[in-house]
Amino acid sequence: MGRLPLLIILLLLAVFLMPSAILGCVLMVPSLVAFVVDRNKQRYLTMTVGLPNFCGILPALTSLWERGQTFDGAFSGIADPWNMMVAYSAAGFGWLVYFGVPVIVGSYLSISTEGKIKQVRKYQDDLVEAWGESVRQSASAAAPPDDKEDDE
Amino acid sequence: MPSYIKEIAGELDYLQHPVELDGKFELLPAEKLPEFQSPGTLAINAVSMKGQATPLVALICQKEAAPRAATIRLMSRISCPVMLVPIGSGTVVFKEDNTRRYVVIFERPKGKRLVPQAGMSPPKFDEDDIIHGVIENLLPAFRELSSRTLTHRAIRPDNIFLTSDRRAILGEAVSTPAGYAQPVLYEPIDSGMASPSGRAEGTVLDDYYSLGVLIAELAMGGTLLDKKTDEQIIEAKIKLGSYGALVGQSRVPLKLMEPLRGLLSDDPYERWGIADLEMWANGRHLSPKQVPLPQKAVRSISFAGKDYLTAPLLANSMRMHWTESKQLIAGDQLDSWIRRALSNDDMASLIKAAQQTGQALASTGSGDDRTASVAMMALDPSAPITYKSTSVRVNGLAQAIALDFFQSGKLEQYLDIIRMKLPQAWVTSQVRTKPEFVAIIKQLESVEQSVKNMTAGYGMERAVYAGNEGWPCLSPLVGDNYVDDIKNLLPALEGMVAAGRIEGAPVDRHILAFSLKHLRGNQDALLKRLNDPFKRDVYNRASLRFLAEMQKQHSPQPLPALSAHMADLLIDAVETFNNTAFRKQLRDAVEKAKHDGQMTTLQMILDNAHIQDQDKLGFTQAQAMFTNLEAQATWLEKGGLVSDENVRMVSEKTSAVISAVCSGVALVIMTISWVL
């Protein structure tokens, strides 16, 4: 589905569910910020922040729907610091994960590098054993362009 | 014995061990019988294994002058007490040198040879001995030959046996090609002019001519042509006619004059046959028609230092002086002599037409040679085809190719004869057509097709085996083995390889041409691979496939030496396989195939494009994989995995996943609590 139909559906939903839309817009500001600063095409940051943020606004939304989808309900939901705290805390959790995971991932990758190199070399040795030394030739022939690419 | 026939009796003196032939005869090579030896053979004792007491003689033949296989087959059905007929024949392997040779068995003739050595004139016989002891006594033999359209072609004094009561017996006629060992004196003029290899099977009329010469020699104790050279004999026969040259004005018994004139007629249409001879023997007097001598010109023509008055004599001289002949034809002298002195415009026109055809072929470089050959046909239509140093009867071309195959320069001349369609020109030049010309031309066209095709398996080699039934394989690779049956080819090669006498691939053009006649299925694709022996790998693989096909079809017995030899030649092919485990498997399979002597298995391993392709594909994939792994390893070693960019990329994905999982769990919990 393209972006335009999705936008139209969201706008239609916002028109019919205006109090919910107002409440959602206010409580999902952190996700909006994440969307703006996210430069990745896959929008990993937006997902990381947006998903818990959405979970955080669900109690306020359910409360609004139980009270009958009114603008008063929406504004009182916005004014309720508890709702604000829950939604923003959930978004904060997302930000926390986004900034905390690289430390763990970096450590893990540096530990696993040596093993991975060994694994690759062993697999290469198996190939040489099965097909002879000549199987290396194409790799050595192909090496200079690789180096060049690396240099570039 | 003629000098052109190889002497083998001395060479085979070392043969001692008895051998069996078809379980019917035991050959005893230790017991030589030189008195029964035919030219180019070794005569040894033989005994019947079925208990027959008749003394036998076996002639070991040579492949250079191969025996007449078709005639042996047909003659062995004849039972004739006055002619030696083969009672057994075939190839046997002699243990001393493990070599297969062709042997023909005969009952030993009673009596002694008329003359002990070739070239000697027979003693003079009285009239009764000739009539009763020779002519009448030999009639049954001629009757058998005539009724079966067979030819003897070896009627000469040293091949006639004389019993104690002076009765003649015809000696064997099959150990060498037809007419091959005949002296020129005993051959009709055209056959005498042809080289011994090109005399062909001929017809039974050639035998009647030989009988005529024999009678003349017996009646006179020699002839007027004694001590003359072959060329002088031919010239005298052309000049005077055979009767005139041999008998002339000599006194011969009156009774014999009729058969002599009839049998020595130079016109085959007028020559006496069996009916005439039988009528004469029964007392009916016939007066043979005198064959007119060639037309004399009103003035002679000078050629090669001599003057000639008749066209056949000139043609005969031209045959012996090829270069001068071409000069004579190129000038106007010959045309003027034929038109004015001979008054034969037809002959002159034929020569003119030959010159025009020759000019059209000038670009081939042999136009004037063709002109000379066709001009000689016009001058003497009864003479054989003459081209450079070759003279061959029209139906003897295939046999001549086989006999002269390894003679320096001869093969090129035969090739020219075929390519220039000289046999067709000879048939056209004949005054009288014969029904057999159609068959001859048809056979020659088939030979021409083979010769034109230069692919291995065709060419002149194919002409040898297609045109000569039962001719043995002439390949040097089979050595002295007489291989006339495809079943014996691989065993012969096995023996040669085991003796270390073959180094390369045991397949050559002769082996291909010989085998293709007997192999089922279309082998053209394989032959293309065998076209270039210098592409060794391709040639060796194709050779293996060819040998495997032969073993499958004709020689199922194991051939360990040949298999090992081919495996050694192609073992490098195994090393070209990239997969080491597969290479080991192949090496083991090759060793097993060598041990089992199965060429088919070997071929499936060493000449299998499918497994080669699979190996190449696998190797290409392995190379690609190795290159990929090398790039991965280099990237890892250069810290690619822990680089900021990679860590960020992985972290972002990981964060998204963690966040999604946690949100999912929270959503489930909230849903449950909301519902409850």
Side-chain angles (χ1 to χ4, degrees):
Chain A
M1 192 186 280
R3 285 186 177 183
L4 190 64
L6 188 68
L7 199 64
I8 292 168
I9 292 168
L10 283 173
L11 283 172
L12 285 173
L13 276 173
V15 169
F16 287 107
L17 302 168
M18 187 57 84
S20 297
I22 293 167
L23 184 66
C25 281
V26 175
L27 294 183
M28 285 194 73
V29 168
S31 298
L32 195 66
V33 172
F35 181 79
V36 171
V37 298
D38 193 358
R39 295 288 167 211
N40 197 312
K41 274 187 182 175
Q42 306 298 325
R43 301 282 178 191
Y44 291 124
L45 174 59
T46 312
M47 277 174 70
T48 309
V49 177
L51 286 171
N53 194 185
F54 181 72
C55 289
I57 69 163
L58 278 178
L61 276 177
T62 49
S63 169
L64 174 66
W65 292 340
E66 279 171 355
R67 278 185 280 168
Q69 280 278 353
T70 59
F71 284 99
D72 285 346
F75 290 120
S76 61
I78 292 167
D80 188 346
W82 176 251
N83 286 344
M84 191 69 82
M85 191 190 75
V86 170
Y88 282 30
S89 297
F93 170 75
W95 281 104
L96 198 67
V97 168
Y98 185 78
F99 286 113
V101 163
V103 181
I104 301 161
V105 166
S107 306
Y108 170 75
L109 289 179
S110 59
I111 293 164
S112 65
T113 295
E114 199 62 32
K116 276 188 190 295
I117 291 170
K118 274 185 187 169
Q119 198 181 349
V120 169
R121 291 296 182 204
K122 190 184 173 301
Y123 197 19
Q124 278 186 314
D125 289 344
D126 289 347
L127 283 174
V128 171
E129 196 184 336
W131 295 97
E133 283 294 325
S134 51
V135 83
R136 287 181 193 278
Q137 285 166 8
S138 63
S140 53
D146 283 357
D147 290 340
K148 212 174 172 184
E149 278 173 22
D150 290 344
D151 293 340
E152 282 168 7
Chain B
M1 187 176 80
S3 58
Y4 51 82
I5 300 181
K6 193 174 92 177
E7 167 72 59
I8 62 165
E11 285 179 16
L12 302 180
D13 207 33
Y14 59 88
L15 298 180
Q16 298 291 325
H17 282 93
V19 278
E20 281 183 23
L21 173 64
D22 296 339
K24 292 177 189 167
F25 303 100
E26 187 178 26
L27 311 178
L28 306 165
E31 299 173 33
K32 312 280 190 296
L33 300 170
E35 65 273 28
F36 297 112
Q37 215 148 271
S38 291
T41 65
L42 168 66
I44 57 170
N45 190 14
V47 289
S48 167
M49 293 172 75
K50 291 185 176 172
Q52 289 166 349
T54 321
L56 304 175
V57 59
L59 295 182
I60 301 175
C61 304
Q62 57 175 286
K63 60 188 269 192
E64 288 80 4
R68 301 164 68 187
T71 311
I72 290 173
R73 201 182 65 242
L74 296 168
M75 229 180 221
S76 59
R77 296 173 193 161
I78 298 176
S79 174
C80 182
V82 292
M83 177 170 65
L84 289 194
V85 290
I87 57 170
S89 63
T91 55
V92 282
V93 177
F94 287 88
K95 286 173 191 166
E96 284 82 357
D97 53 4
N98 195 31
T99 299
R100 185 175 288 277
R101 293 188 174 86
Y102 195 92
V103 178
V104 197
I105 314 272
F106 302 94
E107 285 185 7
R108 269 189 225 175
K110 295 174 186 116
K112 289 183 175 176
R113 289 187 191 273
L114 188 56
V115 293
Q117 277 184 341
M120 290 173 71
S121 293
K124 192 171 179 179
F125 273 40
D126 63 37
E127 186 182 320
D128 278 352
D129 281 346
I130 295 174
I131 293 171
H132 301 298
V134 180
I135 303 176
E136 288 181 3
N137 194 55
L138 291 181
L139 269 179
F142 282 98
R143 201 177 296 127
E144 286 287 354
L145 292 170
S146 299
S147 63
R148 293 166 194 263
T149 58
L150 285 171
T151 58
H152 191 277
R153 307 287 276 114
I155 299 172
R156 56 180 184 271
D158 59 293
N159 197 32
I160 302 283
F161 290 87
L162 204 64
T163 60
S164 52
D165 55 348
R166 294 179 79 73
R167 290 189 175 275
I169 293 170
L170 288 182
E172 67 84 21
V174 294
S175 63
T176 47
Y180 194 52
Q182 285 290 80
V184 167
L185 181 70
Y186 275 77
E187 287 293 284
I189 298 175
D190 65 318
S191 183
M193 288 162 88
S195 56
S197 55
R199 287 176 181 165
E201 279 290 316
T203 67
V204 76
L205 287 169
D206 296 333
D207 288 331
Y208 288 109
Y209 184 92
S210 304
L211 178 67
V213 180
L214 179 70
I215 294 168
E217 284 215 290
L218 291 173
M220 298 160 64
T223 66
L224 297 177
L225 296 175
D226 282 356
K227 294 185 180 134
K228 292 270 197 294
T229 64
D230 288 349
E231 295 310 331
Q232 286 170 331
I233 290 170
I234 292 166
E235 196 173 322
K237 282 182 178 179
I238 297 171
K239 199 172 183 178
L240 306 167
S242 291
Y243 180 85
L246 268 78
V247 182
Q249 301 301 318
S250 308
R251 286 169 61 90
V252 289
L254 203 61
K255 265 188 157 177
L256 291 175
M257 281 185 72
E258 273 180 42
L260 276 174
R261 282 188 186 281
L263 292 169
L264 291 174
S265 173
D266 291 323
D267 183 353
Y269 290 89
E270 298 298 334
R271 196 174 297 153
W272 273 20
I274 186 67
D276 303 304
L277 214 51
E278 279 183 331
M279 272 199 279
W280 173 83
N282 290 333
R284 288 183 62 181
H285 291 278
L286 304 162
S287 49
K289 202 174 163 185
Q290 292 286 322
V291 177
L293 290 172
Q295 182 202 350
K296 278 190 177 172
V298 291
R299 65 173 170 85
S300 62
I301 184 168
S302 185
F303 177 71
K306 282 178 87 175
D307 291 336
Y308 296 96
L309 273 172
T310 66
L313 269 177
L314 175 65
N316 182 49
S317 180
M318 286 167 74
R319 178 173 64 87
M320 291 175 283
H321 303 93
W322 189 256
T323 315
E324 292 92 324
S325 303
K326 289 197 282 184
Q327 289 164 359
L328 179 70
I329 294 162
D332 295 332
Q333 193 193 358
L334 180 66
D335 185 66
S336 142
W337 181 73
I338 294 169
R339 286 186 196 279
R340 293 179 193 164
L342 269 180
S343 305
N344 194 335
D345 287 347
D346 292 343
M347 188 186 282
S349 304
L350 283 172
I351 293 172
K352 206 54 146 181
Q355 278 178 308
Q356 283 164 356
T357 314
Q359 279 162 6
L361 290 169
S363 59
T364 63
S366 301
D368 52 348
D369 289 315
R370 188 187 188 276
T371 307
S373 181
V374 178
M376 285 178 211
M377 290 173 195
L379 289 167
D380 184 5
S382 64
I385 298 165
T386 301
Y387 184 80
K388 295 183 180 174
S389 64
T390 299
S391 286
V392 58
R393 278 171 136 184
V394 70
N395 54 349
L397 196 57
Q399 181 177 292
I401 293 170
L403 280 165
D404 294 337
F405 200 91
F406 296 108
Q407 295 279 325
S408 170
K410 282 282 182 185
L411 213 55
E412 288 78 8
Q413 294 183 18
Y414 292 126
L415 194 59
D416 281 349
I417 289 175
I418 295 167
R419 280 199 306 222
M420 291 175 175
K421 297 187 182 291
L422 290 179
Q424 286 88 334
W426 185 88
V427 167
T428 314
S429 75
Q430 295 307 292
V431 183
R432 285 176 286 200
T433 54
K434 292 180 184 173
E436 58 259 36
F437 286 168
V438 179
I440 290 168
I441 293 300
K442 205 172 168 188
Q443 193 207 2
L444 283 167
E445 277 169 359
S446 146
V447 168
E448 193 181 341
Q449 288 302 318
S450 299
V451 168
K452 275 183 180 171
N453 189 342
M454 293 311 290
T455 314
Y458 292 89
M460 289 299 265
E461 291 85 358
R462 189 63 173 269
V464 172
Y465 307 106
N468 298 285
E469 185 189 334
W471 202 266
C473 181
L474 296 180
S475 169
L477 294 172
V478 297
D480 290 333
N481 284 290
Y482 193 102
V483 179
D484 61 339
D485 186 342
I486 185 83
K487 285 177 189 159
N488 296 329
L489 180 58
L490 287 184
L493 290 173
E494 169 82 1
M496 291 293 285
V497 165
R501 292 173 63 186
I502 297 178
E503 285 182 0
V507 173
D508 63 9
R509 290 180 69 94
H510 270 291
I511 285 179
L512 291 169
F514 176 81
S515 317
L516 280 173
K517 213 178 142 192
H518 308 278
L519 276 182
R520 292 188 301 273
N522 188 342
Q523 310 292 338
D524 286 352
L526 187 56
L527 292 178
K528 277 182 190 163
R529 292 172 60 194
L530 287 159
N531 246 350
D532 188 357
F534 295 104
K535 287 182 182 169
R536 271 206 189 160
D537 189 47
V538 177
Y539 192 85
N540 289 347
R541 281 168 196 262
S543 298
L544 175 61
R545 185 171 282 265
F546 191 77
L547 294 170
E549 190 64 32
M550 269 206 286
Q551 188 183 26
K552 199 162 85 180
Q553 290 189 23
H554 296 290
S555 302
Q557 69 265 40
L559 301 162
L562 202 54
S563 302
H565 179 71
M566 288 311 294
D568 288 344
L569 282 179
L570 288 165
I571 198 68
D572 290 348
V574 171
E575 298 309 320
T576 61
F577 279 94
N578 296 292
N579 191 300
T580 44
F582 194 44
R583 267 208 307 265
K584 190 180 175 308
Q585 268 182 355
L586 288 177
R587 275 194 218 107
D588 293 345
V590 167
E591 282 306 314
K592 191 174 180 305
K594 275 161 74 172
H595 184 260
D596 295 346
Q598 289 305 319
M599 310 279 279
T600 318
T601 318
L602 205 59
Q603 176 260 315
M604 281 166 69
I605 302 164
L606 298 176
D607 183 37
N608 192 328
H610 181 63
I611 59 172
Q612 281 173 339
D613 289 347
Q614 271 190 331
D615 180 73
K616 273 182 193 162
L617 183 69
F619 183 68
T620 312
Q621 288 174 342
Q623 276 185 319
M625 205 178 283
F626 191 92
T627 310
N628 201 10
L629 288 170
E630 186 62 33
Q632 275 188 42
T634 310
W635 180 73
L636 286 169
E637 280 163 0
K638 285 184 177 175
L641 194 64
V642 289
S643 66
D644 291 347
E645 192 188 346
N646 190 55
V647 170
R648 187 174 56 78
M649 197 177 75
V650 176
S651 299
E652 281 182 342
K653 281 183 193 172
T654 312
S655 306
V657 170
I658 291 170
S659 179
V661 170
C662 292
S663 303
V665 171
L667 197 63
V668 169
I669 292 168
M670 280 191 287
T671 307
I672 292 168
S673 63
W674 185 69
V675 169
L676 294 175

